[in-house]
Amino acid sequence: MRTKIFVFAALLTLVALALAACAAPAATTGKLRVGLITDVGGVNDKSFNQSAWEGAQKGAKEFGWDIKFIESKQPTDYEKNIDQFATEKYDVLITVGFLMGDATAIKAKQYPNIKFAIVDNAYFPTKGVAYCDDTKKDCYDDGGLKNVTSLMFQEDQVGFLAGVLAGGMTKTGTVCTVSGMEIPPVVRFVVGFQNGAKWIKPDVKTLNVYIPSFIDPAKGKETGQSMIAQGCDVVFGVGGNTGNGGLLAAKEKGLMAIGVDVDQYNTYPEVKGALLSSAAKNVDAAVYNYLKSVNAKSSKAGVFTANLQNGGVGLAPFHDWDSKIPQTVKDKIKTATEDLKSGKLATGYK
Amino acid sequence: MAVLANKQRAIKISSRQILNAVFIGIGAVAVFLVFDAIIGGKCDSKCVIGTLNQAIRYAAPVALAAYCGLMCERAAVINIGIEGMMLTAAMVGYGVNVYAFTWLKAGGMDPALAGDASRWLSLLLAIAASGLMALLHGVVSIRFKADQIISGTVINILALGITGYFYRQYLAQDIPPGPGTFAPFDIPLLAQIPILGPIVFQGQKPIVYFMMIVTLLIHYVLFFTPWGLRTRAVGENPRAADTLGINVFRVRYINVLLGGALAGFAGAWFTLEAVDVFNPQMTNGLGFIGLAAMIFGNWSPFGALAGALIFGLGNTITTTISIFRPDIPSQIPQMLPYVLTILVLTGFVGRAIPPAADGQPYEKQ
């Protein structure tokens, strides 16, 4: 029995050590404190969460605030992580990702003195939703989420441009998307991409597979390979690390790929030989601008949408492919950009 | 006597396996017909061969994880820490690959040669890392006789912590570009066999081929060598084995370490064969699926391989259906591998019988 207790204690110590290594010391100054909660991808996901964290760091540094992040290991962590920041008396919380929508709304009502910003989720009055049902006019000022700002992106616009690029570059006439979970931001990218490809090349074939995870690059790569076997020669990876697997599949076959969320030429250099461009959403800028408005005491509840018009989304540079992309394709992208901005062209996402 | 009984049991199991194999064959044809109907016959023979080839590739880590469980449990040590061992191996494989490549290249080595050297070195170290985790499991559950489920759980949690820490510290930002994954190759001669060649022996990478060899090897070792007989004896009736002069502890240690090495291969598959990135939790539960495959296969290598192949096939079929039928809601094909697993487990396998002493620490009298 004694040996068992000894072993248990030893193992417990090991685990505690492992966990202690991850935790950062809590700050104790009187400055404004900003907490960022990532989705399961984590702050080094080479795309979305990382970008949000960079924007938050930039803001905090500029305004001299304390900043800390917590990574969610699974969806059940969302509320817990918000609680942790709340008990440590944080003033501003940034939650990253559509999937954190419910947790953020519930906790925003519970902690009315904390300012929340959620990336990628907007609230609409919905029948049966406890925190904002269909008797409300809107969820923010009327519905009680007075302390919540939604930072939204028109992914369909930049997806459309990526589609124009893909449709202009494909030799086989088939383009495809390796997508993560079927949630609105991902669907907007995919629908925009497919319609963009059809806009420049009406007979193009588009393939798409949704994979119910953002952290499964192995599955993403297998899926990419399957679609390549069906003739796809431009792979658009939409879904964190899962999508990265799709980019890798294209690179290994010497085909073309388009990244997502950030300029993946910088964040995922292993695939840069195949990378035409990236459909970037400037999450960092959106988070930074939000913190700037907090600093100026002008932050408001409601939805803020980043789009082509205000430069919140856009195609990343072509880098190594710049000389290989024909001028006609570049011109088409320019035309599409102007027409999307002016409203002459619709992305087809409803 | 007990040893003799063990041998008989092994033979009995294999006769049932033949029956199962027939059932699985019929099931596979049925699944294929349904699949073909769903996608409207759009998958031609090239597509079918491609799908099967891919199913084998995806089954490899599951099969290797299953063999890890099998080696341990045949010697009566339950190992649910496979997932953690795989994750550790995946992390070590990726990290060593990137840094060894950079150092070798900086030392003036030819990049192609440096790439090969660092890949094989990282495979070795990945196996060693997983073996180290297995050693911990062995010491805790064999030497200290702790509950094996708890020890396995601790290893899973520990692996999450360790890999998360090293990832954050050394592998997340500003890392030099790595040499990439192993290159696929064909097996000479065997690849020329019609139908079977393109499905099994073409375009796979070393760990997948290793998985095929190791299946035969484990079957041979377990059922046709003195070592296998001792392992099974220790798993069924350690007291009797001890009486006959077999060192129960030694047999268990060696089996657990061998199992750890196999889990190392499974983990290395993720970062040295599948993709050249690492992210926390990237093994995605395949270690546990491996355990299910082991139980499905009734603690025999060919059975476990069948289980792994069903899972691999379920996965690739899902993808193919999603590609050809975008009108079907994506959630429905995504359920397929799991529905298939339930059907197979309830329909064909019958009662799975673990080794009699499975999970019980051995007390020498």
Side-chain angles (χ1 to χ4, degrees), chain A residues 229-248:
Chain A
Q230 296 307 320
C232 170
D233 68 344
V234 184
V235 180
F236 182 32
V238 195
N241 276 314
T242 307
N244 287 347
L247 304 183
L248 187 64

Side-chain angles (χ1 to χ4, degrees), chain B residues 159-319:
Chain B
L160 266 186
I162 289 178
T163 56
Y165 171 75
F166 279 100
Y167 173 70
R168 176 77 40 72
Q169 290 294 315
Y170 305 107
L171 302 174
Q173 272 160 340
D174 303 326
I175 47 159
T181 57
F182 282 112
F185 61 93
D186 298 350
I187 301 274
L189 296 176
L190 289 176
Q192 311 304 323
I193 304 171
I195 303 175
L196 198 67
I199 293 176
V200 185
F201 300 114
Q202 281 187 15
Q204 306 286 21
K205 294 182 176 183
I207 294 176
V208 178
Y209 291 126
F210 171 80
M211 181 275 287
M212 298 176 192
I213 299 167
V214 95
T215 313
L216 299 171
L217 202 67
I218 291 179
H219 182 78
Y220 175 74
V221 168
L222 215 48
F223 298 114
F224 298 100
T225 63
W227 175 259
L229 192 62
R230 280 177 208 163
T231 300
R232 285 181 290 130
V234 164
E236 299 288 343
N237 193 336
R239 180 84 59 228
D242 197 6
T243 316
L244 288 173
I246 296 171
N247 186 338
V248 175
F249 297 120
R250 195 169 143 253
V251 170
R252 286 188 176 176
Y253 267 121
I254 290 176
N255 272 292
V256 169
L257 284 179
L258 285 176
L262 290 169
F265 278 100
W269 178 87
F270 285 89
T271 48
L272 294 176
E273 289 209 344
V275 289
D276 56 355
V277 290
F278 174 82
N279 64 277
Q281 302 171 63
M282 80 181 297
T283 48
N284 248 308
L286 288 197
F288 291 104
I289 301 278
L291 275 180
M294 172 198 75
I295 294 167
F296 164 78
N298 225 326
W299 288 266
S300 78
F302 288 118
L305 179 63
L309 285 174
I310 288 172
F311 182 77
L313 197 61
N315 253 298
T316 43
I317 284 182
T318 304
T319 310

